[in-house]
Amino acid sequence: WSEYLFCKAKQGAFANYLGGSFAGIALRDLEAGLNVLTSHRMPEDTIAADLFYYLGQYYHFYEVTKWQKAISYYEKALATRVNELGNIHERVVESYNAIGRLYMYTLSDYKNAERYFLLALSILEKLPTRDHFALATVYFNVATANYNEGDQDKAMVYATQCKGIID
């Protein structure tokens, strides 16, 4: 079943990223994978986390009026990833960053966005190997949240850190 779920998650993710008319296929495949997972009472693992994450992305990007569902799926993915992979892992960063983006770009809730981005940043800074693209992205997101909150000085600090990585 793990292989089946993995295939469904990847199919759904691929269709999700293609967007447009493929979004319905993404939802169908992701929900099918989740149904198999729950009907067989399989333990939650990284495949379940990926299903939750991709369902969160679907509702985040294709059905924005159902943003509560997106947050719920993102939080399930986060909890499962922390449980399976520990607190210090790049997949946990991915979940925090997704929740932060939803708060910032969908809900214009810059305080909550900043909180999630800073959680992602604190993990990235502890990882043994630095993903410079991910680090620059999170610095940029924090800077953007601070700028939108009206704190230009704080935004400039993070923007400068982002620029330092890019240069």
Side-chain angles (χ1 to χ4, degrees):
W1 287 111
S2 290
E3 289 174 18
Y4 172 78
L5 290 174
F6 182 74
C7 287
K8 281 298 181 190
K10 293 302 175 191
Q11 276 179 326
F14 181 69
N16 199 8
Y17 286 117
L18 289 176
S21 61
F22 293 101
I25 295 168
L27 182 61
R28 185 197 67 214
D29 288 347
L30 292 169
E31 287 178 338
L34 188 59
N35 287 337
V36 169
L37 178 77
T38 54
S39 68
H40 288 87
R41 302 196 194 292
M42 295 179 67
E44 290 188 357
D45 57 13
T46 55
I47 293 172
D50 285 349
L51 285 169
F52 293 139
Y53 180 80
Y54 295 138
L55 280 162
Q57 284 195 318
Y58 174 83
Y59 285 105
H60 182 173
F61 295 111
Y62 296 106
E63 293 196 36
V64 292
T65 59
K66 296 181 180 177
W67 58 266
Q68 298 96 334
K69 277 187 158 187
I71 287 177
S72 174
Y73 281 122
Y74 280 151
E75 287 176 346
K76 287 177 184 179
L78 174 62
T80 305
R81 287 174 171 175
V82 167
N83 187 48
E84 291 294 316
L85 305 169
N87 289 319
I88 311 300
H89 196 278
E90 59 269 0
R91 300 304 293 263
V92 174
V93 170
E94 180 182 55
S95 289
Y96 280 130
N97 206 32
I99 296 168
R101 284 192 318 267
L102 188 143
Y103 275 110
M104 184 159 66
Y105 294 113
T106 303
L107 303 175
S108 300
D109 182 345
Y110 306 114
K111 271 288 187 219
N112 269 321
E114 180 187 23
R115 181 170 63 95
Y116 282 99
F117 293 143
L118 290 175
L119 287 166
L121 184 59
S122 71
I123 295 168
L124 279 171
E125 292 173 338
K126 294 174 188 169
L127 288 173
T129 345
R130 294 266 168 105
D131 178 345
H132 295 289
F133 178 76
L135 198 55
T137 299
V138 174
Y139 280 135
F140 175 82
N141 287 339
V142 175
T144 303
N146 291 146
Y147 180 82
N148 286 322
E149 286 181 306
D151 192 341
Q152 280 72 28
D153 293 335
K154 202 170 169 185
M156 187 56 77
V157 169
Y158 288 103
T160 302
Q161 289 175 305
C162 175
K163 186 178 181 320
I165 292 171
I166 294 170
D167 287 341

